[in-house]
Each structure stands twice: as structure tokens, then as C-alpha cells.
Amino acid sequence: MIAKFLEALYTKVFINIIVENTSTIVYIEICSRDDVIDSIEKSFDTTSINAKIYDFIKSYSRQSPFCYISVLDNSPLQGAIPTSVSSEMNKYVDMSSVKYIALKDWAVYTPEYDINAVKHEYRSIGIDFIFSPFLIMFKFFKDKIDSTLSMFVLVEDNYLSLSVFDNSKLLYGEYHDMDNHKDDELLMDSSLDEDDISLEIEGIDLDEIDIDNDIDSLDDFANIEDLDISGDIDEFSEAQDIEEIIHAHDEDNISSDGFNEDYQRFLLIQSSLSSFYKDDKYESKFIENIYIADGVGVSSDLKGYLEEEMFLSVYVRKINLGASVCNMAKAELNEI
């Protein structure tokens, strides 16, 4: 009671850290009660904390005793699995060295070693929350996840979080660090074999599918075991369901590296969807739609690849990753 009273007297400072391929984004919100009175975002040309990041964060954390620091997990070995039953989890991942959080009938996980590495990296400022990108994606597309059978993708600077949900039920989850795939045989071939994308997918008789109907503690890892992710979700309107148009002048500013990255993203999505169809441990269903949360500014080529090569209906939405992580921290605090 006293803590809540004191909390009302002070502003709250939310500091959110996104580590990209070659830089670090720090997004900060200063809030009075439920109102955002200021927001600041700054990029640093480093992937580890240095004196500039430390001084920048400390200049804001000193403004209030109620300061919360969050990091978006980018462990290459994290993921999401379609069960929350501990005895079933080893079917999908070796659980002996990971931390996980169960959410109804699915779970997110990350290696304990990587959690400790993040805490060590930011020991000079302290970390309150480490959030899984799958939870960011789940909250961002909550209304679509609740009502459709679709693939959902969160695009970060160098990472992809991919999932398939069927009316809130997770069927598949995979996380990709693009650096780990640049030399793969996957990128040496412009497409998968025809058998991988034909209707005669191993393990699935698509003739029988009715498309109309099938259409070491909480402090260690995000502190969100009891988080009600369904709350405070911004609804997507029907107008927002229309595919995002990327204007020609924006395309002119995209480098050849950007196009190459989008082709790599396409190949990873294609490979993941093939794995979802062919791997017996997943409850495979035919996917027609893909929703992309774009945190980097992808080119229109990615949408074109997915539509022309995989015959998917593609919907792209911009996402501010810093603000989204901040919203997760606020939601977590409301649960405490």
C-alpha cells in the first residue's frame, strides 16, 4: 500500500534496450501515472554497453526511484514450443539447460547461459526484465492470433521470430539469427525442391483439409509468468488489414544489401514453413496468410517473394520494438 502511494508521487522511467546487428537502440519513456510525458530514442554504434550508453541510461534512471530496465532477448537458441507441459517439452528442445515460461498451452524458452550473459553484460545498470520476441509478436498480433490460422513473423535487424497460430493455439515456433544462415546451403539455392512446396507435402493430405474451417526465478527471465497478455491490446481495424504500401521513394533508399537481406528472410520463412509441414512433431495445417511485424523497414520485395513464390496473402505492419518492449514492462508491472 505504501509502495503504491509513493509510486503515485513519482514519475516512472522505462528504459528499453534493443541490440541489433551492429548497434544498440535505447528507447525511454517517462510516465506520470498512466500518461507518457516524454519519450526518447537513441542509437549507439555498438552491440555492448559502453561509457556512452551507460551515461545516457544513468542520466534518466537517476530521475526517479521507479526506474525499470528491459532488454529484448536475442539469444540465437531461444524459441517457442506448442506445449506448456514440462514432460512434453523435451520433444521439441533439450530443457536441461534452458529457462522457460509457460503461457496457457505453449511456452517460450531461452538458454540459462544466455540469460546470465545478458545480466552480466548490463550488471553496471541492472536489468529488471528480459522479454522474449515471441511475446512481443503475440501481443502485437493478438487479435489476429485469436481468430485466424496464420503464420506470424517478427522482423528485427538481424533476427526472425516465426510462429504459426491456429485460433490462439501455437502450432510452431522458430527463431533465426540471420548470421547463422548466411553460409548455409539454404542460401545457395534460389528455392526449395518442388516436393517441398507442392500440395503433396509429406505427412499432410491436403485433399482432406477443410480450408474454410482450418483457415532460476521470475527475476531471471522476464518476470511474466502471470502476465495477462490479452489486456490493453490495440485492435487492428479492417483498414489496417490492407497490405502496407511501401512508396517508391522509400524503395529508392533501400540498398542492395537490404534487398539481399529480404531475400534471405524469404528463404528462412520458406524453409520454416516447409519444416512445419514436414516435421511429424508439429500439428501441420495448410497456411494461406502471413502477418509480418516489420521492425526494420523491409522492402516490397519480401512481400513479392512470399506472394509470388509461396502464394501467401501477406500483411505487413510497422512495429516500434522499443515501444513494444516498454508496453510489455508496463503490463508486467500491472500484474505485480
Side-chain angles (χ1 to χ4, degrees), residues 181 184-190 192 264 267-268 270-271:
H181 294 273
D184 287 355
E185 291 182 1
L186 168 67
L187 300 180
M188 299 173 64
D189 192 350
S190 62
L192 299 175
Q264 185 181 357
L267 291 176
L268 289 173
Q270 187 182 52
S271 176

Side-chain angles (χ1 to χ4, degrees), residues 302-320:
L302 177 59
K303 182 173 181 293
Y305 294 145
L306 294 168
E307 290 177 335
E308 295 167 15
E309 301 295 329
M310 300 181 67
F311 310 107
L312 293 167
S313 296
V314 183
Y315 305 91
V316 181
R317 295 287 166 264
K318 297 287 188 182
I319 182 172
N320 183 314

